Amino acid sequence: STFSNGLMKSIVVSLLAVGALLSTTDSFSPSLSTHNRISVPLVSKTPLRALEVDATSEVVGGHGRIGSLFLREYGAIAVPRGVAPGCLTNFSAPIIVAVHAKEWNTVLYSTPPRRRDDLVWVGDGLLSHSQEDSTVVVSHFNVHRVGSDPVISPDSPPTYVFGKHAAATAAVLTKRGVNVSMVEAWTDICRLAAQRRQADRSASTIEEGPAPKFKLVPIPAIGLICRGQPKTDTNDDNHKKIQSAIVVGGGIIGSSIARALSQRGTSKVTVYDPTPVGTTTPASWAWLNANSKPPHHYRSFNQLGLRGWRVDPLLKPLPTWTGTLVRTKEERVLRGGYSAEGPMGAERIKELEPEANFTSTDNGGHMYYYADEGHVDPHDAVGALRRDALDKGVTFVCDERVVGLVRDNKNKVVGVKVTSMEGDNTIKETLADVIIVAAGANSSDAALGGVPLEHNPSRTYFATPRKAAPLLKRTLLDTVQQLYIAQRKGGTFVAGGGALKFGLSSTSDEISPEEATEQMIEAQTLSQTLAPNPIRNSFFTHKEEAIKPMPKDGYPILGYLEAGLYSAVTHSGMTL
């Protein structure tokens, strides 16, 4: 978030493991990598599943011109910002390095040692013996813009390729019209690379000697390794070993943080939340997605969240991976590393979801299908996280609420002030090494740090299908009508969106039973326009309303607001 931009440098790019960044064991803390070119416009459909390890190659620098050439290949995936190369593919899969040669040293030491022989160095940097077991491409072609084909001068020498993945790399380049020559000896490729750089005095090389001052930080829950960089301030109290933590809020974010902290060995974790699953979570339709979330690092952040849902042993049985059919007003540019298809015609839409109806209005639009997406029952998700956290020693306090912060004589936050939910106004203090505010919309309360939020009222309707009701195969989202419908594992339909917010505001008063019935009828009528047969053969049972937290710039607020006080607020709570 803009509000915490300076704090984001201490964030691991996986909110499912956000507890890891609160229990750093030394002066290192997870940080964002310097490799900021990570995605690229692709053809309309790619077979990749969302960050599962069935990718056939990785591309460091896939957002750049040269990297885009390799990212267009079947099964190629861009390495997200901050993630160590080699995490997203199996052993012996090539890892294309398509960044400026001055970054080669960083890439080398960011890659786990057992994967370094899979690195494919593409460019015109000078070589060192640390690259002798990997693959080297001395390029004699250019790519003028991202996603375009290579350009080769008629009098240019061939592009030389050497090493472990030489044959596979040569095949990719040859397919794109590049003249390739295979090189057998290390000394020969070094000579050719030196000739390539002879006219440029700013040649970069991988320096022999000590590694850069960062380390690799494993996040075993989702099978990733992130880079850790040393803090410039060695006296930073925020990154000392945390023995105790208080989490304010026990929804999907707070419960996930509490569980992650307990997994990392924090001896005392206490969660304050008087509700069974949080205040916002019950009204969430719990869509798991990463589409249309620019810029590229925020999109990759959400893709990592999807990866967590797929590989975490506790969470992976819970989602329903339906894929999402989306109608948009404007045509979209599809990005790499994420399964996307479209724009599509009526025949393909009918094939994917026979019960969908995206033609009931005259507003037009464009249709897309995102196969890697799904949804989850938020009650099941929060319940699973809480039970696992309880088993690991986390304490959940449901009969008290947090009303303020406790500070020491240096004004550092060292605890919380709590009062009973039973009406007793007595205030007591509870101390901890760090206070994590994951209270959703309540995080904007000045007593909890006052992060800048917009309070968006939300309403979700629930319907039970009759025996004859057709089932929905896909999640449906119509951004033109502002309407969504999904069907959960137990059969319940979930409907919501701006079209169903009639009469709703952040200060809505109680309504009469007659008004509630009228709203239910109107909601069913509107929902039928998107899925006529399933909704017509169902009956709407109830609705949930909540105020959803929305950081003012739309991006997650993650980081220390001040010494001892950490904030975790996001609109993409279920995905992340």
Side-chain angles (χ1 to χ4, degrees):
S1 173
T2 301
F3 176 77
S4 56
N5 185 50
L7 303 170
M8 282 297 292
K9 293 181 180 178
S10 65
I11 305 302
V12 171
V13 288
S14 167
L15 188 50
L16 284 171
V18 70
L21 57 92
L22 298 174
S23 55
T24 309
T25 57
D26 51 28
S27 62
F28 290 87
S29 67
S31 70
L32 300 181
S33 167
T34 57
H35 317 318
N36 56 8
R37 312 185 206 40
I38 61 170
S39 63
V40 59
L42 272 186
V43 292
S44 62
K45 186 176 181 181
T46 172
L48 266 181
R49 308 301 298 176
L51 280 180
E52 292 183 24
V53 291
D54 58 355
T56 56
S57 65
E58 298 179 35
V59 184
V60 180
H63 193 60
R65 293 176 292 112
I66 301 298
S68 71
L69 188 67
F70 292 91
L71 197 57
R72 292 160 65 186
E73 290 302 300
Y74 179 97
I77 188 169
V79 177
R81 191 176 184 181
V83 173
C87 289
L88 304 178
T89 53
N90 294 317
F91 290 117
S92 296
I95 305 168
I96 310 298
V97 181
V99 297
H100 193 282
K102 68 182 180 181
E103 297 182 26
W104 282 7
N105 194 43
T106 300
V107 174
L108 176 69
Y109 287 105
S110 296
T111 305
R114 59 183 179 176
R115 293 301 311 274
R116 289 177 184 171
D117 62 346
D118 287 320
L119 292 169
V120 179
W121 306 96
V122 182
D124 50 8
L126 295 177
L127 305 176
S128 75
H129 286 292
S130 55
Q131 296 161 289
E132 189 169 353
D133 294 328
S134 54
T135 305
V136 176
V137 178
V138 178
S139 58
H140 287 279
F141 64 88
N142 197 5
V143 177
H144 286 166
R145 64 180 183 275
V146 171
S148 65
D149 287 330
V151 176
I152 304 101
S153 173
D155 56 352
S156 175
T159 289
Y160 300 104
V161 183
F162 161 88
K164 177 179 178 179
H165 295 298
T169 306
V172 172
L173 295 174
T174 302
K175 184 169 67 174
R176 302 294 175 186
V178 177
N179 181 20
V180 176
S181 177
M182 306 287 282
V183 177
E184 300 296 331
W186 168 251
T187 53
D188 289 340
I189 198 69
C190 288
R191 174 178 53 79
L192 293 165
Q195 292 174 356
R196 175 72 175 84
R197 292 290 300 190
Q198 189 173 11
D200 190 346
R201 294 182 180 181
S202 62
S204 300
T205 182
I206 290 184
E207 298 289 342
E208 298 289 356
K213 290 185 177 181
F214 60 76
K215 73 174 187 177
L216 301 180
V217 182
I219 306 179
I222 57 173
L224 294 182
I225 300 175
C226 293
R227 272 185 48 199
Q229 291 183 336
K231 297 294 293 182
T232 55
D233 180 5
T234 57
N235 295 319
D236 186 355
D237 289 337
N238 290 334
H239 294 88
K240 293 179 180 178
K241 176 64 178 178
I242 294 172
Q243 299 296 336
S244 60
I246 290 174
V247 182
V248 184
I252 188 70
I253 297 296
S255 298
S256 180
I257 290 174
R259 174 182 178 240
L261 282 169
S262 64
Q263 289 174 320
R264 287 294 298 267
T266 303
S267 57
K268 185 179 181 181
V269 181
T270 305
V271 179
Y272 284 92
D273 193 327
T275 68
V277 293
T279 55
T280 304
T281 301
S284 171
W285 67 301
W287 182 29
L288 306 178
N289 79 98
N291 82 73
S292 190
K293 292 189 176 183
H296 57 265
H297 51 269
Y298 181 51
R299 181 173 60 256
S300 293
F301 194 21
N302 281 266
Q303 286 180 262
L304 292 176
L306 293 180
R307 176 184 173 90
W309 283 101
R310 290 182 180 274
V311 303
D312 187 302
L314 177 73
L315 300 177
K316 66 181 181 180
L318 301 180
T320 302
W321 298 108
T322 58
T324 308
L325 276 170
V326 181
R327 182 165 74 149
T328 66
K329 291 181 180 179
E330 305 295 334
E331 189 169 354
R332 290 182 174 180
V333 176
L334 303 181
R335 301 284 178 176
Y338 196 63
S339 180
E341 180 183 352
M344 299 183 302
E347 185 175 340
R348 176 60 175 155
I349 297 170
K350 196 73 173 178
E351 178 185 351
L352 289 168
E353 178 51 79
E355 299 299 335
N357 177 33
F358 287 96
T359 60
S360 59
T361 70
D362 298 325
N363 295 331
H366 305 271
M367 288 298 307
Y368 298 88
Y369 176 58
Y370 299 92
D372 293 332
E373 300 178 352
H375 51 82
V376 66
D377 188 317
H379 294 82
D380 292 346
V382 174
L385 289 168
R386 286 193 177 189
R387 286 190 296 272
D388 196 50
L390 282 167
D391 290 343
K392 292 177 169 60
V394 174
T395 300
F396 285 82
V397 180
C398 300
D399 57 354
E400 295 177 334
R401 62 187 180 92
V402 175
V403 294
L405 303 172
V406 179
R407 298 178 181 273
D408 63 11
N409 56 10
K410 295 181 181 179
N411 206 37
K412 177 188 175 183
V413 175
V414 294
V416 295
K417 298 177 182 179
V418 299
T419 188
S420 172
M421 295 292 295
E422 303 300 326
D424 184 358
N425 293 326
T426 303
I427 293 178
K428 69 176 185 178
E429 297 181 350
T430 305
L431 305 183
D433 293 337
V434 65
I435 311 302
I436 304 105
V437 178
N442 293 327
S443 300
S444 63
D445 191 326
L448 298 177
V451 295
L453 300 178
E454 295 178 354
H455 290 178
N456 290 345
S458 174
R459 175 190 289 153
T460 302
Y461 287 90
F462 300 85
T464 300
R466 297 181 175 87
K467 289 184 179 181
L471 300 179
L472 279 180
K473 296 164 57 179
R474 313 294 178 193
T475 299
L476 309 180
L477 172 61
D478 191 333
T479 67
V480 178
Q481 293 192 83
Q482 298 186 39
L483 184 65
Y484 64 75
I485 296 175
Q487 188 169 24
R488 291 180 176 165
K489 283 184 177 179
T492 299
F493 288 106
V494 182
L500 303 187
K501 289 185 179 181
F502 39 80
L504 182 64
S505 72
S506 57
T507 58
S508 293
D509 298 323
E510 292 291 328
I511 62 174
S512 67
E514 292 77 14
E515 290 175 312
T517 300
E518 289 177 3
Q519 286 186 356
M520 205 78 72
I521 294 172
E522 186 174 356
Q524 182 158 6
T525 302
L526 287 171
S527 300
Q528 283 180 197
T529 63
L530 186 55
N533 292 326
I535 299 302
R536 188 181 297 115
N537 288 282
S538 304
F539 55 93
F540 277 46
T541 57
H542 66 288
K543 64 181 178 181
E544 294 280 359
E545 295 180 355
I547 304 298
K548 288 192 173 183
M550 173 64 81
K552 286 192 174 180
D553 64 0
Y555 300 114
I557 298 176
L558 302 171
Y560 282 95
L561 304 179
E562 57 179 289
L565 181 63
Y566 188 92
S567 178
V569 187
T570 173
H571 179 65
S572 302
M574 295 305 300
T575 297
L576 297 179

